[in-house]
Amino acid sequence: MIKTMIKTKVCELIGIEYPIFQGGMAWVATGELAAAVSESGGLGIIGSGQAPADWLRQEIRKVKAITKKPYGVNVMLMSPYVDEVMQVILEERVPVITTGAGNPGKYVPMLKEVGTKVIPVVASVALAKRLEKAGVDALIAEGMESGGHIGEIGTFPLVPQVVDAVKIPVIAAGGIVDGRGLVAALALGAEGVQLGTRFMCAEECTISHLIKDKIIKAKDRATVITGRSTGHPVRCLDNHFTREIDQYEREGMPPEEIAQLGVGRLRLAMVDGDIEKGSIMAGQIAGAVKRIEPAARIIQDIMQSAEREYERLSARFGERRV
Ligand code: TUI
């Protein structure tokens, strides 16, 4: 374990050592990955995506068997199984949930009743304010640098605007890969960070090695946004699938048909390793992910490099008198 001075309100709120969340990515963030991250002092989060409730219960049990530390579940609010998934979360007394792709307001009272902390992902100030009123514990402000379903605002403009609009802690997400990103997020007023893409390349992440290789080979301009016409834009690594969708959109294919083309593609990429026909959701920071390594080392590296960057900044600017 490393000694760190970077402890935040989020560490206290949920009882974790380091203010680092692992994004709850569908078909990627299984119990194995979440347990490894939590056991290493961050917050591991199971991505329930559109999986049925039974699958989630099994992944929660895996986490509980590996670690006694806090963990989370991400609920994708567009899932057809969202009500059953919430029921499992209540029954299993999950310590933290994050939500994506919608407004979780109506679920807040029942989750609070059993002591589950609720930390929704927001991509706008308006939803952030509404959810603070609904009683959520913290917020994840996710910029459009992220992989998967995204909003329209970048992390740098979004985070300080959300921080200024609410009193609850804010976690920054989108485009963060190392200690520089953590220090920058703290400078913007965030109390922690969430990383997805880098954790896809954790050893404990069960996705196909072909996807991990593709992320490691990715450069700065490797991602594209597809599906704008459907109202649900998605950032993925550029491949045959994204170029096909692009062409159909340009030809004016109806949005429902475009959306239909995406069904099953995330699983095809992550589980089956089809790097051309699958949808490889990943963030713009993919170009900075360099190696496959254990989750514990990712967390150590982020914390150590954050301390180093903070020292460097203090040495440069800390002594100055005005
Ligand atoms: O949810 C994510 N990332 C995701 S979900 C996903 S599965 C999916 N695939 C295709 C289409 C839609 C979903 C893949 N990646 N991140 C969190 C996130 N939430 N990003 C943006 C939002 C968001 C957007 C609009 C949250 C709320 C919102 O408005 C809801 C409202 O009612 O105002």
Side-chain angles (χ1 to χ4, degrees):
M1 205 166 69
I2 47 172
K3 258 178 70 180
T4 173
M5 282 153 51
I6 302 176
K7 282 260 181 207
T8 72
K9 285 180 195 161
V10 165
C11 298
E12 245 170 78
L13 175 71
I14 54 189
I16 54 177
E17 287 142 86
Y18 311 119
I20 300 172
F21 289 18
Q22 159 253 308
M25 302 162 280
W27 291 113
V28 174
T30 61
E32 287 86 352
L33 178 62
V37 171
S38 284
E39 189 56 19
S40 306
L43 186 73
I45 301 176
I46 300 165
S48 58
Q50 314 215 30
D54 284 349
W55 177 86
L56 176 61
R57 197 188 298 277
Q58 171 195 312
E59 299 306 300
I60 292 171
R61 299 267 163 95
K62 279 187 200 168
V63 175
K64 286 177 173 172
I66 298 173
T67 184
K68 297 285 161 276
K69 296 186 181 179
Y71 65 93
V73 170
N74 175 267
V75 181
M76 210 284 279
L77 292 163
M78 284 167 52
S79 165
Y81 301 108
V82 60
D83 288 318
E84 292 99 303
V85 159
M86 287 293 185
Q87 201 52 46
V88 168
I89 286 165
L90 296 176
E91 286 166 17
E92 296 289 328
R93 295 288 190 266
V94 172
V96 180
I97 75 153
T98 63
T99 63
N103 181 344
K106 68 173 182 182
Y107 301 105
V108 174
M110 65 192 207
L111 290 159
K112 290 196 76 127
E113 202 167 303
V114 297
T116 295
K117 300 275 190 278
V118 184
I119 312 186
V121 172
V122 298
S124 71
V125 167
L127 186 58
K129 285 182 172 169
R130 240 184 292 155
L131 288 169
E132 179 180 48
K133 285 203 193 92
V136 304
D137 296 280
L139 292 164
I140 301 169
E142 188 188 272
M144 54 85 80
E145 296 91 328
S146 303
H149 175 47
I150 52 174
E152 288 174 346
I153 310 172
T155 303
F156 253 81
L158 180 66
V159 172
Q161 293 187 77
V162 172
V163 165
D164 287 349
V166 299
K167 294 197 176 69
I168 52 179
V170 174
I171 292 112
I176 301 167
V177 77
D178 59 21
R180 292 173 296 186
L182 172 54
V183 171
L186 296 173
L188 295 177
E191 297 282 336
V193 290
Q194 172 166 281
L195 287 75
T197 307
R198 188 168 182 189
F199 282 115
M200 290 175 74
C201 288
E203 268 175 19
E204 296 88 347
C205 180
T206 57
I207 59 170
S208 164
H209 70 276
L210 298 170
I211 300 292
K212 294 184 184 183
D213 285 349
K214 180 121 174 134
I215 289 175
I216 286 163
K217 289 196 188 106
K219 295 188 184 158
D220 55 346
R221 300 173 66 214
T223 73
V224 292
I225 300 173
T226 57
R228 278 197 173 98
S229 69
T230 68
H232 299 294
V234 170
R235 183 183 299 285
C236 334
L237 293 185
D238 177 58
N239 65 0
H240 180 271
F241 169 68
T242 64
R243 287 190 289 270
E244 188 180 50
I245 295 268
D246 240 27
Q247 188 179 341
Y248 287 138
E249 277 190 315
R250 274 199 307 272
E251 288 169 359
M253 184 187 266
E256 315 83 70
E257 285 178 40
I258 298 276
Q260 201 53 37
L261 287 175
V263 173
R265 299 293 185 129
L266 183 59
R267 182 202 166 123
L268 184 64
M270 303 302 174
V271 180
D272 302 336
D274 191 329
I275 59 172
E276 286 307 329
K277 296 203 190 72
S279 169
I280 312 175
M281 296 184 189
Q284 285 187 320
I285 204 69
V289 176
K290 296 283 187 277
R291 63 191 73 84
I292 296 167
E293 59 194 336
R297 202 177 303 155
I298 294 176
I299 290 181
Q300 256 173 41
D301 175 71
I302 296 167
M303 293 313 299
Q304 278 168 355
S305 62
E307 297 284 347
R308 212 165 43 234
E309 291 303 322
Y310 185 79
E311 288 300 320
R312 187 178 65 78
L313 286 170
S314 303
R316 255 185 95 183
F317 304 112
E319 299 293 311
R320 211 150 71 186
R321 303 274 188 276
V322 283

